[in-house]
Amino acid sequence: MKKNLLYLFILICSVSLFTSCGDDDENDDNKANVAGTYAGNLGVTINGQGPISSSQNIELTSPTEGKINFLLKNFILQADASGEAGQVMPIGNIKITDIDLVGSNGNYTFTKKVDKLKIEAGDQAGIDQWMGPGLSEAGIPVTLKGTITGNDIKLDIDIPFSVLKIVVQFSGTKK
C-alpha cells in the first residue's frame, strides 16, 4: 500500500514538471502590442520658457522581445525668440534604439540614457536644411523616460545641451 502511494505521489510531481505557465507567454505577446504609431501633442520647453506645442507622431518598433525603438521623425520646431509659435526650425529625426520595456498586462515603463545621440536629417519634402545633424555632430546627451498604459503613451525627453535645458513632453494615443 505504501509503495502505491509513493508511486502516485511521484506521478503527481512529475506531471507538474511538464506544465507550462500560460501567463508568461501572454505577457510577452502584450509587449509586442506597444509597437505602432502614436499621435498626440508634443511640447518643447527651453530653459523654462514655453512650452512650444505641436501635433506630432512618434513611432515605436519592437525589434526583439522586451525591447523597443523610438523614432520622432521629421521633427520641426516652430518658435520665435520669445518661445512663441513663429519661426520654423527643422531639427530632423530623433532615433533612440535598444530601450528596455518593463511591465506587463498593458502597463509598461521605459528609460534610456544616451550620452552622445546624433540627430539624423529628415526626409520631408520641401526642406533642404536640417539643423539637428550639425548641432549634434559630436553627440548630445539625451534621457528618454516614458509610460504606456493600454493604447496611451506619455514620455519625457531631457536634453541638457550646452547652456540650454531642453525638455520635450509627449502625450498621445496609438493609431
Side-chain angles (χ1 to χ4, degrees), residues 9-29:
F9 179 72
I10 291 172
L11 178 65
I12 291 171
C13 288
S14 65
V15 168
S16 67
L17 290 175
F18 296 107
T19 308
S20 68
C21 187
D23 288 342
D24 291 341
D25 295 339
E26 184 178 313
N27 288 342
D28 291 340
D29 290 342

Side-chain angles (χ1 to χ4, degrees), residues 119-142:
I119 299 172
E120 301 171 356
D123 60 3
Q124 183 170 316
I127 299 177
D128 298 324
Q129 192 86 17
W130 293 91
M131 296 174 61
L135 293 173
S136 67
E137 232 172 355
I140 56 176
V142 173

Side-chain angles (χ1 to χ4, degrees), residues 13-175:
C13 288
S14 65
V15 168
S16 67
L17 290 175
F18 296 107
T19 308
S20 68
C21 187
D23 288 342
D24 291 341
D25 295 339
E26 184 178 313
N27 288 342
D28 291 340
D29 290 342
N30 284 341
K31 287 188 180 182
N33 289 336
V34 303
T37 301
Y38 293 78
N41 186 52
L42 185 130
V44 179
T45 304
I46 302 172
N47 289 342
Q49 300 295 313
I52 304 162
S53 297
S54 63
S55 294
Q56 189 72 44
N57 290 333
I58 63 157
E59 296 176 28
L60 297 182
T61 56
S62 185
T64 61
E65 186 177 308
K67 299 278 187 183
I68 57 172
N69 293 337
F70 166 86
L71 175 62
L72 174 55
K73 188 172 180 165
N74 294 321
F75 176 51
I76 299 171
L77 184 63
Q78 296 184 353
D80 61 18
S82 67
E84 297 299 319
Q87 182 181 358
V88 175
M89 294 184 287
I91 305 299
N93 297 338
I94 300 172
K95 185 185 332 182
I96 302 173
T97 60
D98 199 34
I99 305 163
D100 290 325
L101 186 64
V102 179
S104 63
N105 299 323
N107 295 307
Y108 302 98
T109 61
F110 53 92
T111 301
K112 177 77 177 211
K113 183 176 181 181
V114 181
D115 292 325
K116 293 186 176 189
L117 179 79
K118 295 191 179 203
I119 299 172
E120 301 171 356
D123 60 3
Q124 183 170 316
I127 299 177
D128 298 324
Q129 192 86 17
W130 293 91
M131 296 174 61
L135 293 173
S136 67
E137 232 172 355
I140 56 176
V142 173
T143 302
L144 172 71
K145 294 180 184 179
T147 59
I148 300 171
T149 306
N151 287 328
D152 296 326
I153 188 169
K154 290 185 180 187
L155 60 87
D156 295 325
I157 306 172
D158 291 323
I159 308 167
F161 179 67
S162 186
V163 296
L164 300 175
K165 171 85 170 112
I166 303 168
V167 177
V168 179
Q169 295 182 315
F170 179 82
S171 179
T173 303
K174 190 174 181 182
K175 286 183 174 182

